[in-house]
Amino acid sequence: MSRNRRHKLKAEMNVVPYIDVMLVLLVIFMIAAPLIHQQSIEIDLPDTSSDTLEMPADAGNDTLPLILSVDASGSYYLNRGNDKQPLLPEDVTALTAQALAEHPDLPVLVQGDTNANYNRVIDGIVLLQQGGAKKVGLVTEQPPENGAGRAQ
């Protein structure tokens, strides 16, 4: 045998390490996905084509839905009692429990300012649930009729 004979180098990419990494990531996501779902808060999200909630013109304060408002600074307001003053989190829970004790099937809604911190809105939903709300809906605005979008 001649030692001058050389083997040609193969210029192929070895994809086995990439497949190993992909399988490890797949296993991580398969384990993590159910854990993330178990910690979520159940809310009824409105559809874009949902009907508006019609309220009777002579509806009193007790028959209106319970609405928690979160302003841009993250302050909480309920449409019960003095809604001009921001409420402490424990007040939101207490007022919610009181309203739901009087009217157990009262709709509970959250309306958050566009610039409100998302965590404050979620914290408000949790406060409502601690006050006894089983289902919490979100208040949205109807899109403009002309389709031009919101003014900047």
Side-chain angles (χ1 to χ4, degrees):
M1 285 205 301
S2 163
R3 288 193 145 202
N4 292 341
R5 209 170 19 152
R6 296 189 162 227
H7 295 285
K8 283 191 164 188
L9 294 175
K10 291 184 179 181
E12 294 177 1
M13 189 165 131
N14 187 2
V15 295
V16 173
Y18 298 114
I19 293 172
D20 291 344
V21 169
M22 181 203 57
L23 291 174
V24 168
L25 288 174
L26 178 66
V27 168
I28 290 171
F29 286 122
M30 287 173 61
I31 292 172
L35 297 177
I36 292 171
H37 179 65
Q38 290 176 351
Q39 297 175 355
S40 65
I41 298 171
E42 290 188 30
I43 55 175
D44 291 336
L45 295 176
D47 296 328
T48 55
S49 62
S50 65
D51 295 332
T52 58
L53 181 62
E54 297 295 331
M55 299 307 303
D58 60 345
N61 197 29
D62 290 342
T63 58
L64 289 175
L66 182 66
I67 300 176
L68 175 70
S69 299
V70 183
D71 66 3
S73 65
S75 299
Y76 296 125
Y77 300 90
L78 271 176
N79 64 339
R80 297 288 192 269
N82 185 5
D83 59 353
K84 302 293 183 202
Q85 296 292 326
L87 297 172
L88 296 173
E90 53 270 10
D91 294 337
V92 171
T93 304
L95 288 171
T96 302
Q98 178 185 359
L100 291 174
E102 295 171 8
H103 304 285
D105 53 343
L106 189 69
V108 180
L109 304 171
V110 174
Q111 67 181 22
D113 189 274
T114 304
N115 299 320
N117 185 338
Y118 184 70
N119 287 335
R120 291 294 289 175
V121 175
I122 294 298
D123 290 342
I125 293 171
V126 170
L127 292 172
L128 292 171
Q129 288 179 335
Q130 289 172 351
K134 302 284 186 239
K135 294 173 76 175
V136 179
L138 297 176
V139 177
T140 61
E141 290 183 5
Q142 292 291 332
E145 292 294 326
N146 59 9
R150 196 169 31 181
Q152 296 292 327

